[in-house]
Amino acid sequence: MPRASLSRETVVGLALRVVDEEGPAALTLSAVAARAGVATPSLYKHVRNLAELRELLSAHVMSEISARIGDAVLGRSGDEALHALMAAWRSYVRTHPGRYEAMIQSPQPGVAEAGERLVDVMFAALRSYGLTDSGSVHAVRCLRSAVHGFVLLEAAGAFGLPESLDDTYELLTRMITAGLRAPRP
């Protein structure tokens, strides 16, 4: 790819290919430059450093997840919306485990904004459960923790017991929906 066609978006796209094909540990500026067919210093016109590239990649991944789960929950509510959200999130990670593992949680503006969009989709999916403002926050935190933890462990191959992971994820989904429907103190 000639240098003239490089842009910030192109650099992020190349970084996504690196983590998709080689894993997050392979993400370096020199690996991205090699894919672009340029010397590493040519990337500095588009990203300040590897840390910024990781932030841009993370914002991109969070935006992809938000779009995927947003599409999945559209027109659904209650348990159906939550099942769709959890299934879409897991499906994304199964399709792009390297991207998901490379994603960082950061207070940097681009990453934080993408994270807010993800959380907003989750709030919308939980709306029909009639939670209070603080109850919604707690529910989003629990839901995010449960899904994030499961998909990270699954992607790492950390579930060594022979039972079906699909059955386990279905149980997790039922546990969360039952908890959201339970009477609150």
Side-chain angles (χ1 to χ4, degrees):
M1 184 180 304
R3 180 164 58 189
S5 67
L6 277 183
S7 66
R8 181 177 280 237
E9 293 76 25
T10 303
V11 171
V12 172
L14 292 169
L16 290 167
R17 285 182 41 208
V18 168
V19 298
D20 282 344
E21 296 169 13
E22 301 175 44
L27 182 59
T28 63
L29 290 176
S30 62
V32 173
R35 285 181 182 255
V38 300
T40 302
S42 297
L43 297 181
Y44 293 117
K45 295 177 182 178
H46 309 288
V47 294
R48 285 188 309 273
N49 50 37
L50 183 58
E52 182 182 39
L53 180 56
R54 288 183 188 279
E55 291 167 10
L56 293 168
L57 181 142
S58 296
H60 182 90
V61 170
M62 283 187 199
S63 294
E64 285 182 333
I65 295 168
S66 298
R68 172 100 42 115
I69 67 174
D71 289 345
V73 302
L74 191 63
R76 296 182 164 106
S77 65
D79 293 356
E80 184 183 5
L82 206 54
H83 278 262
L85 181 151
M86 291 178 69
W89 195 323
R90 183 178 182 216
S91 173
Y92 179 87
V93 177
R94 286 175 138 188
T95 304
H96 301 291
R99 289 181 188 199
Y100 197 78
E101 186 182 343
M103 183 178 62
I104 57 170
Q105 307 296 322
S106 168
Q108 298 301 321
V111 178
E113 289 170 21
E116 286 175 24
R117 287 191 298 274
L118 176 60
V119 169
D120 286 346
V121 173
M122 295 171 72
F123 277 124
L126 293 169
R127 193 168 290 127
S128 66
Y129 288 98
L131 301 166
T132 64
D133 288 343
S134 68
S136 292
V137 170
H138 296 306
V140 164
R141 286 177 179 162
C142 290
L143 175 59
R144 189 173 183 188
S145 297
V147 174
H148 179 73
F150 187 96
V151 299
L152 276 180
L153 289 167
E154 181 180 29
F159 292 124
L161 299 174
E163 285 76 14
S164 164
L165 290 177
D166 292 340
D167 291 348
T168 304
Y169 200 68
E170 179 59 30
L171 174 60
L172 178 63
T173 303
R174 287 194 320 266
M175 290 170 72
I176 290 171
T177 57
L180 289 167
R181 283 186 268 106
R184 290 176 254 313

